[in-house]
Structure formats: structure tokens, C-alpha cells
């Protein structure tokens, strides 16, 4: 597909600089992060993002065992010598994964950056800190960000209501949440939810963030391990093609609009409870979507930002053109008011 962004004057600058508190704290070149995504954050994608100067992240629980996670980190290291992070999402579960073992695998693999999400990272902070690992905690509110700051995380990734996955229950969009976080936090933070290009990065920086986290945009790249049909659906879809499920259960999740998520919304709005939709939202069905490309097979996660995604480039090109466009947008706007 045509990459119109490469026609900009700034495209002649092959390696523009864009340094923030976040890049300095994490030792990366650009403030562009590929967040950890279940079934998506694998070695090829994470390495491609990091090699281009951003921060690629491998999703720990995508790997079936802690030992497999170590091997996945090794695979990524064979592709780049740039920093790579690992996501550890901690969620309540009837049969929880062996989080302590995954944490030890991260340490054993020599990982230096971890993205935590879900529940508080507090149970893991001491071990990560002792191993010299810098923690980025992903959260959906300023109060949770302040709590993470008090625990000693290196940075926070804060999700606006536009995001894919779980946006929390406050329903605060990024345009309000980002400057509110900037006013409250002392540590570096990046903005997440609704970002797909350099316009978003420029806006996030102007609102006080130190970078951006992009999920849906990196799902729709050459190195993303999901099926081509899913990537093409993201390109075709608009910002209106998501559903908010589990609203009545106060466990809101933003997912792609399809026949399955429509049915989940209908059942819950009619008074149903979680057991009534459990067969529809099983993780195995969502994995089938990503692996087989049947977009009606189950629930799958994507953000409203899909309405701004129009192509399937390499992950490295997403990083490079996002930075180029952000610099150009900031320069052009400043020139207008000089």
C-alpha cells in the first residue's frame, strides 16, 4: 500500500532525533512504544520496533511456559541488539498463571525493561528492582498512576478511554487524561489509546506526555503475527466499529464489532451475567481469530484508532514515519505562530 507519509519534506531526514524524559530513562532512541498485546507481542514484532529506535515489547503470557518466554527473548535478541521489554499482565483468575515463575524467567533472560498491567505491580517490584529492571506500569487513571509512582516504577503508560482492551470504568478520554497526568506525576509517562501516527505523538507531547504507546497500529504491520485477514479488517474499519462489552459487569473492554461482540452486548444489556456470555468470550476463540483470520470466530481486541489506520507497513516504518511526522507537525505549527 502507498505510504503517503514518506512524501513529506521531513522524510529526507533518515534518523531524526526526538529525545524526552522517557527515552532518556529507558535508554531508547524514540518515544514510541509497542505495547504488550496477547497473541501479538512476539519476537519478530518487538525486535522490528526496537531496531527502528522505539521500544518493542514481548508479551510474557503469550508464551505457554516461563521457559518458552526465555527462548522468545533470545529469538528477539538474535534480531536486534536494541533494548526490548517484556509485558507481564497481572489479572484475577480462577486458575492464575505462575506469575512468580514468569517474573523469574524475565530476570533470568536478562531483560531490563518490563511493562506491567492489570493489577498493581507491587508484589513484583522488589525482585525487579533488585535485578536492575525498570518497570513501566500501564494504568487507566491518574490515581492509579500516582500509586504506581509511589511504588517506584520508572514510568507510567496511561490509557485513555479510546484504547483497546480494558479502559477502566472512569470513561476519561486522552484529551483530558493526558494533561491531568502531566499535572500530577513527577516521573516520565507515555500516553496510550488513540495513537496511530505522528499527529498523535505531536499532540501527546504538547499535552505533557513523554511519548506514546501504540497497540492497534502495530497489530496492523508486516511483522505482526496475526492473520492477514484481521489486518485487512482493521484497515477497512472505522472508528465506529468497536463494541464496549462487560459494561454492566463494571469490567469494560473495548473489542472489535462483530456478530459475537454484538451478541455479548445484547445478552448483558438484557440482564444476563458473565456465565451467560462465557462461551462467547473464551480466550481460545479470540486466539482463533488472530491465528486463522476468521474475524467472526470470537472476541478480539482493537481500539477506536483503527479509523486512522489505512495501510499495513513494516513496524519499523511505523516508528520512523511517526517520528518524522511528529517533528514536522510541531515545526509547522510553531512556525505559524512565530
Amino acid at each position: 500500500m502507498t505510504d503517503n507519509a514518506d512524501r513529506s519534506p521531513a522524510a529526507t531526514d533518515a534518523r531524526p532525533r526526538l529525545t524526552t524524559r522517557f527515552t532518556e530513562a529507558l535508554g531508547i532512541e524514540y518515544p514510541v512504544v509497542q505495547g504488550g498485546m496477547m497473541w501479538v507481542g512476539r519476537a519478530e514484532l518487538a525486535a522490528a520496533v526496537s531496531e527502528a529506535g522505539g521500544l518493542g515489547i514481548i508479551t510474557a503470557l503469550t508464551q505457554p511456559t516461563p521457559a518458552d518466554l526465555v527462548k522468545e527473548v533470545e529469538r528477539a535478541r538474535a534480531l536486534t541488539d536494541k533494548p526490548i521489554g517484556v509485558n507481564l499482565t497481572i489479572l484475577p483468575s480462577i486458575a492464575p498463571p505462575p506469575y512468580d515463575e514468569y517474573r523469574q524467567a524475565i530476570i533470568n533472560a536478562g531483560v531490563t525493561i518490563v511493562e506491567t498491567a492489570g493489577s498493581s505491580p507491587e508484589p513484583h517490584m522488589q525482585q525487579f528492582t533488585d535485578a536492575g529492571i525498570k518497570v513501566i506500569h500501564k494504568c487507566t487513571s491518574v490515581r492509579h498512576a500516582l500509586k504506581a509512582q509511589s511504588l517506584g516504577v520508572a514510568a507510567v503508560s496511561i490509557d485513555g478511554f479510546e484504547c483497546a482492551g480494558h479502559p477502566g470504568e472512569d470513561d476519561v478520554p486522552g484529551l483530558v487524561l493526558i494533561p491531568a497526568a502531566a499535572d500530577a506525576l513527577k516521573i516520565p509517562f507515555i500516553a496510550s489509546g488513540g495513537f496511530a501516527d505522528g499527529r498523535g505523538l505531536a499532540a501527546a507531547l504538547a499535552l505533557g506526555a513523554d511519548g506514546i504507546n501504540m497497540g492497534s497500529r502495530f497489530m496492523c504491520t508486516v511483522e505482526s503475527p496475526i492473520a492477514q485477514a484481521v489486518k485487512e479488517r482493521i484497515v477497512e474499519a472505522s472508528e465506529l466499529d468497536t463494541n464496549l462489552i462487560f459494561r454492566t459487569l463494571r469490567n469494560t473492554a473495548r473489542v472489535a464489532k462483530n456478530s459475537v461482540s454484538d451478541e455479548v452486548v445484547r445478552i448483558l444489556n438484557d440482564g444476563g451475567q458473565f456465565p451467560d456470555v462465557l462461551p462467547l468470550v473464551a480466550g481460545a476463540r479470540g486466539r482463533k481469530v488472530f491465528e486463522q483470520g476468521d474475524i467472526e470466530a470470537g472476541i478480539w481486541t482493537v481500539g477506536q484508532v483503527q479509523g486512522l489506520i489505512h495501510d499495513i507497513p513494516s513496524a519499523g516504518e511505523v516508528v520512523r514515519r511517526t517520528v518524522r511526522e511528529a517533528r514536522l507537525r510541531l515545526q509547522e505549527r510553531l512556525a505559524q505562530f512565530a
Side-chain angles (χ1 to χ4, degrees), residues 27-172:
I28 61 175
E29 194 169 357
Y30 301 137
V32 176
V33 178
Q34 165 252 313
M37 296 171 280
M38 196 67 178
W39 314 124
V40 182
R42 300 183 187 270
E44 289 82 2
L45 176 59
V49 173
S50 290
E51 181 65 18
L55 177 63
I57 295 181
I58 293 169
T59 307
L61 299 184
T62 292
Q63 299 303 313
T65 70
D68 288 310
L69 174 58
V70 174
K71 292 177 183 177
E72 192 73 0
V73 172
E74 291 172 351
R75 286 207 313 120
R77 287 214 177 101
L79 299 171
T80 184
D81 60 0
K82 303 289 182 64
I84 289 178
V86 170
N87 166 278
L88 185 63
T89 297
I90 311 145
L91 293 172
S93 174
I94 296 173
Y99 289 118
D100 291 350
E101 295 177 25
Y102 275 99
R103 181 188 65 232
Q104 191 58 49
I106 291 168
I107 294 170
N108 292 345
V111 172
T112 59
I113 301 170
V114 167
E115 176 192 63
T116 56
S119 300
S120 170
E122 186 169 9
H124 304 276
M125 284 300 299
Q126 187 64 56
Q127 291 90 336
F128 282 146
T129 300
D130 290 347
I133 294 173
K134 295 178 180 178
V135 175
I136 308 165
H137 186 59
K138 195 170 187 179
C139 48
T140 60
S141 70
V142 173
R143 64 185 181 280
H144 293 148
L146 286 169
K147 175 61 176 178
Q149 177 178 266
S150 73
L151 294 174
V153 301
V156 166
S157 175
I158 193 156
D159 267 1
F161 185 59
E162 308 91 332
C163 71
H166 293 279
E169 302 304 315
D170 295 341
D171 296 0
V172 181

Side-chain angles (χ1 to χ4, degrees), residues 200-225:
L201 175 55
L205 295 174
L207 290 170
D210 300 290
I212 57 172
N213 179 312
M214 296 193 291
S216 300
R217 172 66 276 188
F218 282 118
M219 283 174 60
C220 198
T221 58
V222 173
E223 294 87 352
S224 169

